[in-house]
Amino acid sequence: MLKLVSWNVNGLRAVVGKDFANTFKTLDADFFCLQETKMQEGQLNLQFEGYQSYWNYADKKGYSGTAIYSRHQPVSVAYGIGKDEHDHEGRVITLEMPQFYLVCCYTPNSQDGLKRLDYRMTWEDDFRAYLKQLDTKKPVILCGDLNVAHEEIDLKNPKTNRMNAGFTDQERQKMTQLLSEGFVDTFRALHPGQVTYSWWSYRFQARQKNAGWRIDYFITSERLRSHIAEALIHTDIYGSDHCPVELDLDI
C-alpha cells in the first residue's frame, strides 16, 4: 500500500511552530506534499530521517512555493510545467517514479474581484495539457490545493459564493473538463455524497462552524481508479487554514 498526503500549510515556518514534525511522523506517508510553503531557499532546513525532499520556490519572497518529501527515490524530478509565464511562482513539482508521475501543485488563486481569472484560465489549459502529456507515458497522481470547489456539495454556501474566486463557473468548468479527459477525483469516487471540507477562512469562526470549502485534492489517471483504497480528509489536524488530505493506493 502506498500512502500519500498533501497539505497547504499556509507558511511552513509558521506550521513548524505548531507541532508540524509530530503531525508529519504521525501521518507516516510515503510521499508528503506541501503547498504554500512561503519560503526561499536556505530559510529553513527541515529534514526527516528516511526522506529526501524537493523544493520549488517562488521568485517573490514569502509567496506560494511547493515541496515534496519522499521515502522513494524518483527516476527524475521536474520543477514547473515548462512554460516561462507560469514557472516563476514555485507552483509545481513532478516526481517521475517507476510506475507513475506524482505532481504536487498549488493552483493560482483568481483573487478578489477575479483580477487573475484570465490568467487562471490560461494556467488551467496549459496545466491540463501538461498532465495529459505525462499521462501518455505513465499514470499520473496529482495532488494539492487546486483552488476550486468543483460542485455545490464542495462548499458550505454555494449560492452566496457563486462567481467568487474558487467557485466561478469558469473554474468549475475547467475541473469538469480535466475529469472528463481521463482523470478521477479520488475522494468523490469513494465518497460521492460525503460533505467534508479541507479549507476554512480565518474569518467569522468559519472552522468552528464548519463553513468550509473542499479545494484540496488527489486526482489520478482514470486507469488508477481500481487501485484507490482510501481517500481521506484529516479535518482533525490543525496548524493551517487547510487540513491535510490523504490517498491510499494499492499499487
Side-chain angles (χ1 to χ4, degrees):
M1 191 73 69
L2 203 63
K3 181 174 181 177
L4 304 98
V5 168
S6 175
W7 194 8
N8 177 324
V9 290
N10 191 14
L12 183 57
R13 285 169 296 170
V15 164
V16 163
K18 300 173 185 172
D19 211 23
F20 176 78
N22 190 49
T23 299
F24 185 98
K25 289 166 184 167
T26 301
L27 286 171
D28 193 30
D30 292 280
F31 298 91
F32 203 117
C33 302
L34 305 177
Q35 303 86 45
E36 213 172 352
T37 53
K38 294 185 177 178
M39 280 174 30
Q40 307 304 120
E41 191 166 9
Q43 286 186 314
L44 184 70
N45 182 24
L46 183 65
Q47 300 301 331
F48 294 97
E49 188 177 351
Y51 290 86
Q52 297 166 282
S53 64
Y54 308 89
W55 301 78
N56 196 359
Y57 305 101
D59 293 354
K60 181 178 169 183
K61 286 185 177 175
Y63 179 74
S64 187
T66 47
I68 300 177
Y69 288 90
S70 173
R71 274 193 177 129
H72 307 278
Q73 178 69 39
V75 177
S76 65
V77 185
Y79 301 93
I81 63 172
K83 279 189 171 278
D84 186 68
E85 68 180 297
H86 301 309
D87 287 350
H88 292 273
E89 296 184 356
R91 293 188 177 276
V92 178
I93 303 173
T94 303
L95 299 191
E96 179 187 358
M97 306 306 295
Q99 292 175 277
F100 57 85
Y101 288 101
L102 173 60
V103 182
C104 173
C105 175
Y106 177 40
T107 297
N109 191 301
S110 296
Q111 298 184 347
D112 291 342
L114 304 181
K115 291 193 293 285
R116 245 189 153 191
L117 183 61
D118 287 347
Y119 170 69
R120 168 73 176 262
M121 293 297 100
T122 303
W123 162 277
E124 290 282 353
D125 291 339
D126 290 343
F127 186 57
R128 188 177 63 258
Y130 174 75
L131 295 175
K132 290 176 70 176
Q133 191 260 333
L134 293 179
D135 189 51
T136 62
K137 301 176 206 169
K138 294 178 185 179
V140 173
I141 302 167
L142 163 66
C143 70
D145 174 1
L146 303 187
N147 259 317
V148 61
H150 183 216
E151 303 287 1
E152 290 196 352
I153 192 176
D154 295 317
L155 74 168
K156 177 74 171 182
N157 297 305
K159 295 204 166 31
T160 53
N161 278 297
R162 184 163 176 238
M163 295 313 291
N164 284 346
F167 198 60
T168 64
D169 295 352
Q170 295 94 318
E171 290 163 314
R172 295 171 65 195
Q173 192 276 327
K174 294 296 185 187
M175 175 63 87
T176 298
Q177 186 174 353
L178 175 66
L179 297 177
S180 71
E181 294 183 13
F183 294 90
V184 58
D185 175 351
T186 59
F187 181 81
R188 254 322 141 230
L190 261 56
H191 310 288
Q194 188 171 321
V195 177
T196 311
Y197 307 125
S198 66
W199 173 80
W200 304 262
S201 170
Y202 278 136
R203 302 165 68 198
F204 313 121
Q205 297 182 299
R207 191 153 186 178
Q208 293 93 309
K209 297 173 184 172
N210 198 29
W213 300 47
R214 187 177 74 96
I215 58 176
D216 301 270
Y217 295 83
F218 271 99
I219 288 174
T220 69
S221 298
E222 182 67 47
R223 61 193 183 279
L224 289 178
R225 183 189 287 264
S226 62
H227 299 277
I228 301 168
E230 184 55 282
L232 301 168
I233 300 179
H234 291 284
T235 56
D236 58 329
I237 294 177
Y238 288 74
S240 168
D241 52 350
H242 296 250
C243 72
V245 296
E246 177 182 330
L247 174 65
D248 299 343
L249 272 184
D250 191 2
I251 197 170

